[in-house]
Amino acid sequence: MDRKPHWNAAYTAKADDQVSWFQQMPTRSLAMIAKVAPVGSVIDVGGGASRLVDALLDAGRDDVTVLDISQAALDRTKVRLGDRATKVTWICTDITEWRPDRTWDVWHDRAVFHFLTDAASQDTYIKALKAATHPGSAVILSTFALTGPERCSGLPVQRYSPASLAARLGSGFVLEDEALEAHVTPWAAIQDFAYAAFRRR
Ligand SMILES: C[S@@+](CC[C@H](N)C(=O)[O-])C[C@H]1O[C@@H](n2cnc3c(N)ncnc32)[C@H](O)[C@@H]1O
């Protein structure tokens, strides 16, 4: 399936704060990143138009990468950042087709892995994750929780608990922190998210 047109259309049709996953401030992600990796490089996988990159730059991180399948999303984030966009590395690709050429200290993904509902796509994602991290890297995954919605952006999702995320990643990753969060959409609906932070062995 070519996922790119779906996501470019989603970001072209709606303003940042009109999509269900919008967060004015990604507080939980920032707290988890600060806890498990207070310094070091960060890649936000499927970062889209998230304000995480703004906050990471504000916090003094100087090696931040945003990867997304949608150029429209990345362009929107670049415009918002203005001159600061040049401090960020931008990668436009489908994560399941990506061959990383370096590693990061932190891999962060909020609401991307859950769109991969077949084992083969999940396996290619995990292969990219392993190629883009090293022993000691932190991996933060956030997906719809077991009590969360069955669809996101009109697409089916695979729901997880922190424990089932741990099982899917495998024994090479140690679960260090977890949380459940009731995300409030811009139209005041509740979506339960699971967050899990791992350390790569
Ligand atoms: C639900 S949004 C979450 C965006 C952002 N992480 C946040 O929390 O605001 C999912 C994001 O993943 C991106 N995406 C979806 N499938 C992808 C894939 N296969 N590879 C890379 N990015 C993908 C979309 O373009 C979108 O920006």
Side-chain angles (χ1 to χ4, degrees), residues 51 104 108 114 149 180 195:
R51 276 124 167 101
W104 284 261
H108 173 270
H114 69 189
L180 295 176
Y195 283 75

Side-chain angles (χ1 to χ4, degrees), residues 38-196:
V39 293
S41 54
V42 182
I43 181 164
D44 190 15
V45 173
S50 166
R51 276 124 167 101
L52 184 67
V53 58
D54 313 46
L56 290 171
L57 293 175
D58 289 344
R61 300 265 179 173
D62 61 4
D63 185 354
V64 181
T65 300
V66 180
L67 179 152
D68 203 278
I69 197 170
S70 165
Q71 189 62 49
L74 295 180
D75 287 347
R76 194 171 276 190
T77 306
K78 286 183 193 176
V79 168
R80 190 181 67 242
L81 285 171
D83 291 346
R84 296 208 297 170
T86 58
K87 297 176 187 284
V88 177
T89 302
W90 306 94
I91 302 174
C92 187
T93 189
D94 184 325
I95 190 65
T96 63
E97 295 169 1
W98 185 46
R99 304 282 175 271
D101 59 5
R102 58 162 288 190
T103 61
W104 284 261
D105 300 313
V106 181
W107 172 288
H108 173 270
D109 163 354
R110 174 176 178 266
V112 185
F113 182 59
H114 69 189
F115 290 109
L116 305 177
T117 54
D118 62 288
S121 299
Q122 293 164 4
D123 287 345
T124 57
Y125 176 104
I126 293 169
K127 192 174 168 192
L129 185 160
K130 286 178 174 166
T133 55
H134 46 258
S137 289
V139 174
I140 297 172
L141 299 182
S142 169
T143 67
F144 278 172
L146 298 178
T147 49
E150 293 178 359
R151 301 179 80 80
C152 180
S153 188
L155 300 173
V157 301
Q158 172 83 49
R159 297 175 294 175
Y160 293 92
S161 63
S164 66
L165 279 170
R168 191 65 184 87
L169 277 188
S171 59
F173 298 85
V174 181
L175 182 61
E176 285 197 352
D177 195 18
E178 61 183 273
L180 295 176
E181 181 172 273
H183 168 65
V184 183
T185 71
W187 45 94
I190 300 291
Q191 297 181 329
D192 290 342
F193 274 75
Y195 283 75

